[in-house]
Amino acid sequence: MQQYTWIFSLKTQLNSDAQAELQKDLDTFTSQWKSHGTPVEGLIQINRGQFVIVQADPSVARPSGCSIDSLRRGVEQILKHHGLEILTPASIGYEKTDGAVEFVDFRDIPQYVKEGKLHAQTRVFDHTLSQSDDLTLWERPMASTWLKRYLN
């Protein structure tokens, strides 16, 4: 079953205590999330301490304009309450050789490739994943994403 997926990148990486506190508030929000009065079946998780991933099962209640807006507003308010900032969609996350997550503005990717900071096998976080329940499609080698056009 395909799910709707939204991914929010956080400027700051959270430690386990901060993740637990944030997760409680996010779970409370999703337990009350509705689309046209019908509860949206979904889950929300924090991945790598730096990504908030929301998935919704459209077979129960299909998220639409208003419920998607309420999701974004709700998540943004919760993050703001926790003093967290969401990065813009222009920020592309990638895994450094030490396993840490780093972000780069997509316009700087050609320079990062030239400098050897990014290459075909660099694991990137592809936020274009929007209607899939397979999160393995989210974290992939750069060569298998839309970013491959920046490779030599």
Side-chain angles (χ1 to χ4, degrees), residues 123-138:
R123 299 203 61 79
V124 296
F125 303 95
D126 184 3
H127 290 13
T128 60
L129 178 75
S130 63
Q131 291 189 6
S132 175
D133 59 354
D134 186 356
L135 289 179
T136 62
L137 298 175
W138 168 62

Side-chain angles (χ1 to χ4, degrees), residues 10 13-28 44-47 49-50 52 78 82 84:
L10 304 179
Q13 185 174 30
L14 304 175
N15 64 33
S16 58
D17 291 340
Q19 284 184 58
E21 288 299 313
L22 178 59
Q23 188 68 56
K24 280 191 248 179
D25 290 346
L26 293 170
D27 288 342
T28 299
I44 193 163
Q45 63 182 324
I46 303 166
N47 191 300
Q50 212 154 356
V52 174
I78 291 167
H82 286 266
L84 300 170

Side-chain angles (χ1 to χ4, degrees), residues 23-39:
Q23 188 68 56
K24 280 191 248 179
D25 290 346
L26 293 170
D27 288 342
T28 299
F29 172 79
T30 55
S31 72
Q32 300 168 11
W33 185 28
K34 295 185 179 184
S35 179
H36 302 286
T38 303

Side-chain angles (χ1 to χ4, degrees), residues 2 9 11 23-24 41-42 52 63 70-71 74-75 79 81 87 92 114-115 121 123 127-128 132 137 142 149:
Q2 292 234 330
S9 299
K11 186 174 185 176
Q23 188 68 56
K24 280 191 248 179
E41 292 291 325
V52 174
S70 75
L71 166 70
V75 169
L79 294 174
H81 172 76
L87 294 171
I92 305 298
K114 184 177 178 181
E115 294 171 1
Q121 294 309 308
R123 299 203 61 79
H127 290 13
T128 60
S132 175
L137 298 175
M142 186 173 170
R149 67 180 170 208

Side-chain angles (χ1 to χ4, degrees), residues 42-72:
L43 69 98
I44 193 163
Q45 63 182 324
I46 303 166
N47 191 300
R48 291 181 166 250
Q50 212 154 356
F51 300 98
V52 174
I53 300 174
V54 183
Q55 291 187 296
D57 181 350
S59 68
V60 177
R62 184 177 299 267
S64 61
C66 292
S67 60
I68 293 169
D69 288 344
S70 75
L71 166 70
R72 290 189 189 284

